Amino acid sequence: MRFPRRHPLLVPVLLCALAVLAAGPTGISGAADEGEDTHSSADAGISAQVVRLYEDAAVATQQYEAARQEAEVQRAQARRLEALLDRERQGIAVLHEDLGRIARAQYRTGGGLPITAQMILADDPDDLMRGQRAVWQADLALNNAIDKSSRAEARLAADEAKAAAAWRQLDRRNIELADLKKDIETKLEQARWQLQGQADASVAAGSCRGAVRLDQPHTGVTSTWVAPVETYELSAAFGSGGARWANRHTGQDFAVPIGTPVRAVGAGRVVKVSCGGPFGIEVVVQHADGYFTQYAHLAAVAVDQGERVAAGQWVGQSGTSGNSTGPHLHFEVRVTPEAGSAVDPGPWLSSRGVSLG
């Protein structure tokens, strides 16, 4: 059973270009001896490309969402203008009806005769003139109202046309951004599996290639302890059963895509980097309180044995190397650096202010 857990995205805050340095293997468990294969620029480049594409995908998604929201605002404005235009049209129709009634009344009372004839035939010319002035004033007021409403209708129609044009433009932009987003995601998926292919080759050879040095963004981490990945879904929990484990599951799995940056949960020293075996590519960090944390099934490592790391610092990229059925991070907390001494990571992190629930 998977429990969704959402955290703020890491990738939108990657503000720096990602530089990659090739590092030779160190004398670590399962690593190649000195003088054996080191990272080629192409090998290191794919790790950086995956991170960069994560950033590009996040930016494209933000742009797409912003354009979609802007289009919704434009649609709402167009609907408001249309409603206002309908009210104005109704008002004009009422005015036209009033004008028709006045014209018919004038005709019945002699309004159809020329004013000179009305004056000759009238019993009281003064009364006739007063009545005629009232009719002229009513006609003038009505005509002014009609002119005003007609201008308002034309203005609203123009506004509506502008809104509709902006609406169409935003829809076109949405299509463009959707295509861009899809293209980036396609490239990202290809790069992920290329990165995983390198990891599988390392595991098959039982030889780590060495640390991929990525320029890490300023994350603003101020906590002493953090979750090992920033955006995730929880999958297999500590102690759960499964056909792929000899006894019980010894860690907490985080379902994340290949290439997701994996972070040290706290400050410490890297005591193990190895490739091969059921954990695939793994990193083990020793912390000041005597506990050890393991990060397994990685696609790449970003640290070397003996290196000091800070809380939130990238130690690798997630993958599906070793005994793994799909992309995820296997995270363990141990009392020794070796397997078989694991404790439940959930309560351990919770006691340090990090909730996974």
Side-chain angles (χ1 to χ4, degrees), residues 8-37:
L9 285 172
L10 171 64
V11 287
V13 300
L14 299 176
L15 303 178
C16 305
L18 296 168
V20 182
L21 302 175
T26 59
I28 55 180
S29 173
D33 292 335
E34 183 118 15
E36 292 188 16
D37 289 340

Side-chain angles (χ1 to χ4, degrees), residues 67-136:
R68 185 186 61 77
Q69 292 172 7
E70 188 176 353
E72 289 300 324
V73 171
Q74 200 68 42
R75 289 186 183 97
Q77 181 179 356
R79 288 191 291 267
R80 287 194 298 272
L81 288 173
E82 180 60 32
L84 183 58
L85 183 59
D86 286 342
R87 289 196 295 272
E88 290 292 342
R89 285 171 176 162
Q90 292 171 5
I92 291 170
V94 171
L95 289 174
H96 286 174
E97 290 177 1
D98 290 343
L99 178 60
R101 284 195 295 271
I102 292 172
R104 288 191 296 273
Q106 286 180 330
Y107 181 80
R108 287 194 299 270
T109 58
L113 295 174
I115 185 63
T116 303
Q118 293 184 41
M119 293 179 66
I120 294 172
L121 298 174
D123 296 331
D124 188 342
D126 290 337
D127 289 342
L128 175 64
M129 291 303 296
R130 284 193 294 272
Q132 193 65 46
R133 278 196 299 272
V135 172
W136 288 341

Side-chain angles (χ1 to χ4, degrees), residues 28-31 199 202-203 206-211 250 262 270-285 292-305 315-323 328-332 334 336-340:
I28 55 180
S29 173
S202 294
V203 171
S207 173
C208 292
R209 297 170 178 267
T250 55
V262 174
V270 178
V271 295
K272 184 179 182 182
V273 177
S274 67
C275 302
F279 288 119
I281 298 176
E282 64 172 318
V283 172
V284 178
V285 175
F292 299 80
T293 52
Q294 180 213 30
Y295 313 82
H297 303 311
L298 301 177
V301 296
V303 290
D304 286 315
Q305 184 169 315
V315 296
Q317 291 169 281
S318 65
T320 183
S321 59
N323 186 10
H328 72 285
L329 168 69
H330 175 84
F331 173 73
E332 284 192 19
R334 301 171 174 174
T336 74
E338 304 303 329

